C-alpha cells in the first residue's frame, strides 16, 4: 500500500494568547504478510514532515522538521464478528516503531490484548489490556484522551508543546471520565509510558428491559454497556497514590473511571454515547458525557 496525506490545523495557546498553525504531511509505504488465517505481520516506512507557524507574529519564520518513521506489527486475531462488536474470541498485537534520528530519536513498544466472552442473544463481556513504553532522547508522548472520535471533547490543555508532539503524540483510550491530557498529578495525564485496562458488560438494551422480542425500528438494535476503565500514564516512574491537601490518600498516576453507555447504528454510522464518572480513590467526580463515532474500544 502507498499513502500520501496533508493535514493543517490552527491551535491556540490560551496562556500566551498566541495561535499556531501546524502542517503535517508525508508519505508511507506499507505491506502486510499473512502467516496464517489468524496471524499476520504488518510493516511500514513513512517519511513525515511538520511545519509550525506562529500566526500572531508575522515576522517569525516557520519551523520545519522531517522524520523517518519505520514500524512493524504482529497481530493474532481469532475474534468472531458480531453486529456492533466481536461476540467471542481473542485478539492481541505487538508493535515496534520509532524514529532513527533525522530530527528526533526514540523507539516505542506497544502491546494490545483483547478477550471477548459471549453468552448468546447479544450478551457478553469484553476485556482489554494495553500498554506502551517510549525510550530515547526524544521519547514519544502519551496522553489521556477520553474516547476515540470524541465529538464534544473537553480539554485540560492541548497536549502539544512542539512539532514532535503534533506528529507523534498518541492518545490513550478509552479512558472515560477524563478529558484530553487530564490527570491527577502536576503533569496532567501525559507521559512516556502507559498501561490501560478496560472491562465492559454488553447487552441488548430493550431486550433486557422488556419481555419478549421488540422488532420495532430503531429500538431493536440499541445495545447497552457498563464499563470500568483504569489506566496509568507517567514519566520515568510510577506513583499509584499521593496525599492531597486534606490529608486523604488518593490516586496519583492511576486514573479510574466507570459508567454506562449506549451503542447503535444511525444513518449508517456507528454511534456511541457514554456517561462516565472519574474515581480518585475516595469519591466520584463530576460526570462527563461522551458522544463519539466508532465501534468496540
Amino acid at each position: 500500500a502507498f499513502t500520501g496525506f496533508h493535514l493543517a490545523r490552527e491551535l491556540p495557546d490560551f496562556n500566551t494568547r498566541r495561535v499556531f498553525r501546524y502542517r503535517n504531511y508525508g508519505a508511507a509505504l506499507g505491506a502486510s504478510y499473512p502467516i496464517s488465517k489468524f496471524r499476520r505481520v504488518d510493516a511500514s516506512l513513512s517519511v513525515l514532515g511538520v511545519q509550525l507557524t506562529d500566526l500572531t507574529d508575522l515576522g517569525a519564520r516557520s519551523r520545519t522538521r522531517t522524520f523517518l518513521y519505520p514500524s512493524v506489527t504482529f497481530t493474532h486475531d481469532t475474534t468472531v464478528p458480531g453486529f456492533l462488536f466481536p461476540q467471542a474470541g481473542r485478539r492481541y498485537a505487538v508493535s515496534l516503531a520509532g524514529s532513527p534520528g533525522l530530527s528526533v530519536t526514540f523507539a516505542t513498544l506497544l502491546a494490545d490484548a483483547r478477550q471477548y466472552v459471549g453468552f448468546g442473544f447479544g450478551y457478553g463481556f469484553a476485556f482489554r489490556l494495553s500498554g506502551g513504553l517510549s525510550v530515547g532522547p526524544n521519547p514519544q508522548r502519551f496522553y489521556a484522551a477520553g474516547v476515540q472520535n470524541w465529538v464534544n471533547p473537553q480539554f485540560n490543555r492541548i497536549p502539544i508543546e512542539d512539532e514532535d508532539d503534533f506528529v507523534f503524540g498518541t492518545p490513550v483510550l478509552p479512558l472515560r471520565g477524563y478529558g484530553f491530557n487530564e490527570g491527577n498529578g502536576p503533569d496532567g495525564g501525559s507521559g512516556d509510558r502507559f498501561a490501560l485496562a478496560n472491562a465492559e458488560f454488553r447487552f441488548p438494551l430493550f431486550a433486557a428491559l422488556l419481555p419478549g422480542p421488540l422488532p420495532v425500528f430503531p429500538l431493536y438494535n440499541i445495545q447497552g454497556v457498563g464499563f470500568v476503565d483504569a489506566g496509568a500514564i507517567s514519566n520515568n516512574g510510577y506513583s499509584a497514590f499521593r496525599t492531597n491537601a486534606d490529608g486523604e490518600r488518593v490516586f496519583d498516576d492511576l486514573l479510574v473511571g466507570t459508567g454506562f453507555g449506549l451503542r447503535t447504528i444511525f444513518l449508517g454510522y456507528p454511534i456511541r454515547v457514554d456517561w462516565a464518572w472519574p474515581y480518585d480513590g475516595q469519591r466520584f467526580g463530576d460526570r462527563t458525557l461522551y458522544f463519539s463515532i466508532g465501534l468496540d474500544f
Side-chain angles (χ1 to χ4, degrees):
F2 176 78
T3 305
F5 65 91
H6 175 271
L7 172 70
R9 288 181 177 172
E10 294 180 3
L11 300 179
D13 186 334
F14 297 106
N15 294 326
T16 61
R17 297 184 179 180
R18 298 157 70 188
V19 178
F20 297 96
R21 182 175 186 264
Y22 288 87
R23 292 179 57 230
N24 182 22
Y25 49 90
L29 181 65
S32 180
Y33 178 76
I35 301 173
S36 68
K37 184 177 180 179
F38 304 109
R39 296 179 296 162
R40 70 179 186 273
V41 175
D42 300 290
S44 66
L45 179 63
S46 306
V47 178
L48 309 175
V50 61
Q51 184 181 76
L52 171 61
T53 304
D54 186 350
L55 298 183
T56 57
D57 186 355
L58 298 181
R61 298 183 60 182
S62 300
R63 302 205 309 258
T64 302
R65 305 182 75 173
T66 304
F67 310 94
L68 188 65
Y69 187 71
S71 68
V72 59
T73 304
F74 171 79
T75 303
H76 178 93
D77 190 344
T78 57
T79 55
V80 179
F83 175 61
L84 292 174
F85 24 65
Q87 57 183 332
R90 69 182 56 177
R91 175 188 183 277
Y92 59 84
V94 179
S95 67
L96 179 64
S99 180
L102 293 179
S103 295
V104 298
T105 303
F106 69 88
T108 298
L109 180 66
L110 297 173
D112 183 295
R114 310 178 186 197
Q115 178 71 53
Y116 303 92
V117 181
F119 303 105
F121 305 103
Y123 294 85
F125 287 97
F127 305 96
R128 177 176 179 242
L129 293 175
S130 60
L133 172 65
S134 187
V135 297
N138 315 103
Q140 193 170 353
R141 181 189 296 270
F142 303 104
Y143 59 92
V147 296
Q148 186 180 27
N149 300 325
W150 193 0
V151 178
N152 60 322
Q154 298 179 4
F155 296 91
N156 175 34
R157 62 184 177 89
I158 297 176
I160 295 177
E161 298 179 0
D162 54 31
E163 307 96 304
D164 305 348
D165 295 330
F166 188 78
V167 177
F168 298 117
T170 301
V172 176
L173 42 81
L175 197 45
R176 288 159 286 195
Y178 299 88
F180 277 87
N181 205 41
E182 184 176 335
N184 303 318
D187 295 331
S190 66
D192 59 11
R193 64 200 63 193
F194 79 92
L196 177 64
N198 308 102
E200 288 190 356
F201 173 58
R202 300 169 172 177
F203 56 93
L205 181 65
F206 287 95
L209 296 178
L210 300 176
L214 188 68
V216 180
F217 180 83
L219 301 181
Y220 73 94
N221 63 352
I222 296 181
Q223 299 282 320
V225 300
F227 60 83
V228 176
D229 301 329
I233 309 172
S234 66
N235 282 307
N236 300 321
Y238 169 75
S239 174
F241 295 92
R242 62 184 174 89
T243 302
N244 63 14
D246 298 326
E248 298 174 324
R249 186 173 171 83
V250 296
F251 295 147
D252 189 7
D253 292 327
L254 183 61
L255 308 176
V256 178
T258 186
F260 60 92
L262 302 175
R263 307 285 186 266
T264 191
I265 301 293
F266 182 70
L267 299 179
Y269 291 94
I271 303 299
R272 300 177 299 202
V273 182
D274 292 292
W275 293 265
W277 289 261
Y279 181 67
D280 67 359
Q282 295 290 335
R283 60 188 62 84
F284 288 95
D286 295 334
R287 183 201 67 195
T288 301
L289 174 63
Y290 301 87
F291 287 99
S292 60
I293 300 173
L295 295 172
D296 206 21
F297 293 110

